[in-house]
């Protein structure tokens, strides 16, 4: 049809000249304002909103403004976007545009003919378009004002066991997407914002003979896993993407994949124009505990040991907080941020873990901390740059890990066995404030509950940290002390992270809870 | 796995002559393709009248009253269900409802399913007479459709996006939408007029409204999110923007050409490839 209609485009091009305001790459570069333009907040993923109307003094007047149910959503995992008073919220295979001041629907798009339903973690915008991925790995481009569809393009096949959940990231004229798989080697891809056509693809496990392929023994390198299911961060000055990768497959039995298994459990620094890898850093070589590195890499410039550095910081699922030099991947520091950590006795000067003996999963079960849920996970961390603090939702939990030697069969659901929680040692969540230069815990806020949530944080210039807690509350604490200032019970297990925006000078805070989106603002006098 | 079993079952029950060859591999025939097979559909229709019409109506339009079967023509559930599940629903019934199991030979189940599919098939999967290129000229030209509707990101804002209608609407729905539009605008398309920047009036549609807010999209593609007193700017119109005189303005051939164009609109490649595998047929369907 695109071709059929093309000769009419000139005649009807006046439609284009009357479109509403456009979102530019410069807008995306600018970071957080009254708008919230990427699911990770800003390219550096600091999630530090400059809005301060809601602050430590006014927080007691924060009150719900609207609640929007997304029918049949189950537990939403997305962070919505907001541009000029319109909120873009995703559920599995559907995207909603809502009036962000009232929650009323402007339009809804449902991708038809999709046989899968996975969670979805958000949308991306550029120009007059909004993008999201379907569970079966199609990137869909829609008109922002009307929800009219421009194209729908498959970039990975469910026949290969791929599934897609992540929010895309727009950089210049490309939409970056990742995948999860049932074992198949994963990739990061850059698709054209105009057509969805693939511009480059970086495979997260090398092909035979390529550098790094010798870290797998004789394992079939098409079945290495190393998924890319969360959204990377981006430094526009260096033009580098920092995309994290997940664990090697099979998850818990590694007898067939001797070696470090590159590039699983890494952060990859990729040239945003070409997809060429500039450097990588592997957090867990030869992972046997499903410790994906898919936690958000946060980019920050700070003095480190006396000199200004461009840093990448990450609180990793393996229980250590890391500082890297993001220009070259140099390892600078690692520090545990959980107490329940027994798999390694430390991290050596090169950044390699000093692994404790007998920590691999076993047929009889091995007691290992952290649990598979992780010391932290994909939920959002945030930063207060003035205070020099990283706010991380941390889980203190151990598990029994099991393995069995089996011939690895792709797309069979085989993971090399699994893990069970220890009922006598229930896990416990904390919001922790880490000194970004040392990783030391400055304060912590305990969050009692069943230890089964997947929710993250937002920092604001109002001196606040918003976090979802393990009992179904949205909570605000003082960013410098962790003091409890405000909470609101939303009645669901939480799997999303809060965000903030403003319309006409009024600040709002939103979070998905269960199948609802809650939005708060100050009570007017 | 279920899908594969059913596909094999269908292939076996109807013979391999219906199997399409694609890319060197044999592709089992789908119920949607079966819906074009007049012999199977007609056999299914005869059996439907004997076994199903008591609850679902003679042509699947649904029965009246308690315990009667739902409308199968408009049912989204029927449209979305896989071929395998549709056949299974007939074979096993739906426990907890009035829908009983039908212990019939596979071939008869398949014919029934093919008939139900033919009632419900999206426009892209059925043969449509007419010339899509001529339809496009009408869409852009004398029909004026592009002024209000979008195809693949081009067009106006006052009517629904039509880029995927071939995959989501039945042919008779498309035909009725053109020839017999409702006198009342559908939800999300309430006509409204607003003051234009040049002092004149401009048209828009109210996507949602309450006593306290209104979400309007104007004909130039601008959103107006009106709250409280701002809502006075909007004057709701009684008559939908969709013209109701196409039956007079367009010839029968024009309509067929337009339907040929619209029935091919699908955003997903697999829908398009199913359409391209469709045998060319000059024979209009119902």
């Amino acid at each position: 049809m695109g071709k059929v209609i093309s000769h009419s485009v000139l005649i009807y091009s006046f439609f284009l000249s009357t479109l509403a305001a456009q979102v530019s790459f410069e807008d995306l570069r600018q970071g957080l304002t009254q708008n919230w333009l990427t699911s990770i907040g800003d390219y550096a993923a600091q999630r530090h909103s400059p809005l301060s109307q809601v602050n430590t003094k006014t927080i007691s007047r924060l009150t719900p403004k609207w609640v929007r149910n997304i029918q049949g959503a189950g537990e939403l995992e997305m962070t919505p976007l907001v541009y000029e008073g319109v909120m873009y919220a995703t559920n599995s295979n559907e995207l909603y545009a809502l009036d962000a001041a009232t929650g009323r629907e402007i339009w809804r798009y449902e991708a038809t003919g999709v046989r899968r339903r996975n969670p979805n973690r958000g949308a991306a915008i550029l120009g007059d378009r909004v993008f999201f991925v379907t569970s079966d790995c199609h990137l869909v481009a829609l008109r922002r004002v009307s929800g009219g569809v421009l194209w729908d393009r498959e970039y990975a096949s469910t026949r290969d066991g791929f599934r897609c959940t992540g929010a895309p990231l727009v950089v210049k004229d490309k939409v970056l997407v990742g995948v999860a798989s049932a074992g198949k080697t994963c990739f990061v891809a850059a698709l054209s914002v105009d057509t969805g056509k693939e511009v480059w693809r970086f495979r997260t496990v090398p092909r035979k003979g390529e550098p790094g392929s010798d870290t797998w023994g004789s394992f079939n390198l098409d079945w290495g896993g190393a998924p890319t299911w969360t959204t990377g961060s981006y430094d526009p000055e260096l033009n580098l993407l920092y995309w994290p990768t997940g664990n090697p497959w099979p998850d818990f039995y590694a007898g067939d994949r001797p070696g470090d298994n590159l590039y699983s459990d890494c952060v990859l620094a990729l040239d945003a124009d070409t997809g060429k890898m500039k450097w990588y850093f592997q957090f867990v070589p030869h992972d046997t505990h499903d410790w994906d590195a898919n936690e958000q890499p946060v980019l920050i410039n700070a003095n480190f040991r006396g000199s200004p550095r461009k840093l990448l910081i990450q609180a990793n699922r393996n229980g250590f907080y890391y500082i890297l030099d993001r220009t070259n991947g140099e390892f600078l520091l690692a520090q545990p941020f959980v107490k329940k950590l027994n798999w390694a006795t430390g991290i050596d000067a090169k950044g390699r873990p000093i692994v404790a003996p007998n920590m691999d999963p076993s047929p009889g079960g091995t007691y290992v901390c952290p649990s598979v849920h992780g010391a932290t996970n994909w939920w959002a961390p945030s930063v207060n740059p003035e205070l020099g603090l990283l706010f991380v939702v941390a889980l203190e939990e151990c598990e029994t890990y099991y393995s069995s030697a089996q011939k690895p069969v792709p797309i069979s659901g085989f993971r090399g066995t699994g893990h069970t929680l220890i009922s006598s040692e229930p896990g416990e969540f904390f919001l922790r404030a880490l000194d970004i230069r040392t990783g030391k815990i400055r304060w912590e806020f305990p969050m009692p509950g069943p230890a089964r949530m997947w929710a993250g944080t937002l920092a604001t210039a109002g001196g606040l940290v918003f976090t979802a807690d393990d009992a179904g509350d949205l909570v605000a604490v003082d960013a410098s002390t962790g003091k409890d200032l405000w909470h609101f019970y939303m009645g669901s297990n939480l799997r999303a992270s809060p965000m903030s925006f403003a319309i006409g000078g009024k600040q709002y805070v939103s979070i998905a809870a269960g199948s609802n989106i809650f939005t708060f603002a100050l009570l007017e006098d | 796995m279920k899908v594969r079993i059913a596909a094999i079952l269908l292939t076996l029950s109807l013979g391999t002559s219906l199997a399409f060859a694609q890319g060197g591999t044999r592709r089992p025939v789908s119920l949607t393709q079966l819906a074009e097979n007049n012999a199977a559909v007609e056999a299914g229709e005869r059996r439907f009248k004997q076994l199903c019409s008591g609850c679902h109506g003679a042509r699947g339009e649904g029965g009246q009253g308690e315990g009667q079967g739902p409308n199968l023509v408009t049912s989204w559930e029927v449209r979305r269900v896989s071929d395998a599940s549709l056949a299974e629903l007939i074979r096993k019934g739906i426990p907890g409802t009035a829908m009983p199991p039908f212990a019939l030979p596979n071939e008869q189940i398949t014919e029934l399913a093919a008939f139900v599919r033919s009632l419900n098939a999206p426009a892209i999967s059925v043969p449509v007479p007419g010339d899509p290129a001529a339809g496009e000229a009408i869409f852009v030209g004398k029909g004026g459709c592009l002024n209000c509707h979008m195809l693949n990101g081009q067009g106006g804002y006052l009517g629904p996006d039509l880029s995927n209608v071939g995959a989501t609407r039945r042919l008779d729905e498309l035909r009725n939408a053109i020839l017999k539009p409702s006198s009342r605008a559908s939800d999300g398309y309430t006509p409204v007029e607003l003051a234009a920047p040049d002092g004149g009036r401009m048209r828009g549609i109210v996507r949602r409204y309450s006593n306290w807010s209104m979400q309007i999209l104007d004909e130039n593609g601008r959103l107006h999110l009106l709250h409280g007193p701002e809502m006075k700017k909007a004057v709701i119109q009684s008559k939908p923007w969709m013209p109701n005189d196409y039956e007079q303005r367009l010839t029968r051939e024009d309509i067929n050409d337009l339907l040929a164009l619209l029935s091919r609109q699908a955003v997903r490649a697999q829908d398009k490839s199913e359409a391209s595998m469709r045998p060319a047929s000059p024979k209009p369907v119902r």
Side-chain angles (χ1 to χ4, degrees), chain A residues 312-369:
Chain A
L312 181 154
I313 58 179
Q314 191 197 52
N316 191 277
R317 193 160 161 177
N318 71 12
F320 288 91
Y321 165 79
Y322 289 81
I323 306 179
L324 308 177
D325 181 323
R326 74 172 180 274
T327 63
N328 56 16
E330 182 191 348
F331 168 78
L332 299 177
L333 179 142
Q335 169 75 25
F337 64 93
V338 286
K339 295 174 189 77
K340 291 195 172 175
L341 194 164
N342 71 351
W343 70 280
T345 56
I347 306 290
D348 74 14
K350 291 258 168 83
R352 195 175 177 90
I354 304 160
V355 177
N358 305 319
M359 283 294 151
D360 275 340
S362 55
T366 309
Y367 176 83
V368 181
C369 323

Side-chain angles (χ1 to χ4, degrees), chain B residues 35 46 60 68 74 87 96 116 120 126 137 161 164 233 243 273:
Chain B
R46 282 193 299 277
Q68 294 292 294
T74 56
V116 172
N120 202 286
V126 299
D161 179 38
N164 203 32
K233 292 179 191 168
S273 70

Side-chain angles (χ1 to χ4, degrees), chain A residues 232-388:
Chain A
S233 312
Y234 174 63
D235 182 333
E237 283 175 20
L238 299 171
N239 195 33
L240 288 178
L241 287 166
Y242 301 95
W243 210 283
T245 65
N247 64 310
W249 180 83
D251 306 37
F252 304 107
Y253 178 72
D256 294 312
R257 48 174 176 85
D260 283 357
N261 307 145
L262 291 173
Y263 299 97
S264 64
D265 291 350
C266 284
V267 60
L268 307 171
L270 304 176
D271 182 296
D273 296 335
T274 63
K276 294 249 161 44
M277 185 169 70
K278 183 153 187 217
W279 56 261
Y280 71 90
F281 178 84
Q282 189 175 40
F283 298 93
V284 186
H286 192 71
D287 181 10
T288 54
H289 300 98
D290 188 9
W291 287 332
D292 283 337
N294 297 97
E295 299 71 55
Q296 191 71 49
V298 178
L299 314 183
I300 191 161
N301 298 340
N303 279 319
F304 183 79
R305 291 174 189 152
S307 51
R309 302 284 290 254
K310 293 186 175 202
L311 304 177
L312 181 154
I313 58 179
Q314 191 197 52
N316 191 277
R317 193 160 161 177
N318 71 12
F320 288 91
Y321 165 79
Y322 289 81
I323 306 179
L324 308 177
D325 181 323
R326 74 172 180 274
T327 63
N328 56 16
E330 182 191 348
F331 168 78
L332 299 177
L333 179 142
Q335 169 75 25
F337 64 93
V338 286
K339 295 174 189 77
K340 291 195 172 175
L341 194 164
N342 71 351
W343 70 280
T345 56
I347 306 290
D348 74 14
K350 291 258 168 83
R352 195 175 177 90
I354 304 160
V355 177
N358 305 319
M359 283 294 151
D360 275 340
S362 55
T366 309
Y367 176 83
V368 181
C369 323
S371 63
V372 166
H373 204 132
T376 189
N377 210 305
W378 57 267
W379 52 74
S382 58
V383 162
N384 184 314
E386 287 77 38
L387 296 173

Side-chain angles (χ1 to χ4, degrees), chain B residues 39-56:
Chain B
V41 171
E42 281 164 19
E45 184 171 6
R46 282 193 299 277
R47 198 152 287 109
F48 188 91
K49 278 187 180 146
Q50 296 160 7
L51 299 175
C52 315
S53 61
C55 290
H56 288 287

Side-chain angles (χ1 to χ4, degrees), chain B residues 8-50:
Chain B
I8 292 163
L9 177 156
L10 287 174
T11 311
L12 291 176
S13 63
L14 278 133
T16 49
S17 62
L18 280 171
F20 289 83
Q22 190 195 34
T25 55
R26 289 196 81 77
R27 187 186 145 110
V29 67
S30 73
L31 278 185
T32 301
Q33 289 155 354
L34 272 187
E36 296 163 31
N37 179 276
N38 287 337
V41 171
E42 281 164 19
E45 184 171 6
R46 282 193 299 277
R47 198 152 287 109
F48 188 91
K49 278 187 180 146
Q50 296 160 7

Side-chain angles (χ1 to χ4, degrees), chain A residues 1 12 19 99 105 136 143, chain B residues 140 152-153 157 208 268:
Chain A
M1 182 59 216
Y12 287 87
L19 285 172
D99 178 345
E105 182 180 313
D136 59 352
R143 282 243 191 258
Chain B
V140 172
N152 306 312
Y157 295 93
R208 293 292 177 279
R268 289 215 147 198

Side-chain angles (χ1 to χ4, degrees), chain A residues 171-188:
Chain A
V171 170
K172 301 182 197 173
D173 57 352
K174 298 179 185 69
V175 189
L176 295 141
V177 290
V179 290
S181 80
K184 184 90 172 169
T185 291
C186 293
F187 60 88
V188 181

Side-chain angles (χ1 to χ4, degrees), chain A residues 1 4-5 7-8 12 15 18-19 99 102 104-106 110 112 134 136 138 143 145 148-150 152, chain B residues 80 136 140 146 150-153 155 157 161 163-164 168 207-208 215 220-222 225 227 265 267-268:
Chain A
M1 182 59 216
V4 179
I5 207 82
H7 71 255
S8 320
Y12 287 87
F15 286 114
T18 57
L19 285 172
D99 178 345
T102 65
R104 301 275 168 177
E105 182 180 313
I106 299 166
E110 181 185 7
T112 54
T134 59
D136 59 352
H138 290 230
R143 282 243 191 258
V145 293
V149 58
L150 291 142
D152 168 303
Chain B
R80 286 178 182 181
E136 193 229 341
V140 172
L146 196 70
M150 277 201 187
L151 281 182
N152 306 312
Y157 295 93
D161 179 38
S163 310
N164 203 32
T168 57
R207 304 312 313 267
R208 293 292 177 279
Q215 290 74 36
N220 301 315
R222 282 196 175 79
L225 307 176
H227 303 141
Q265 301 309 311
V267 297
R268 289 215 147 198

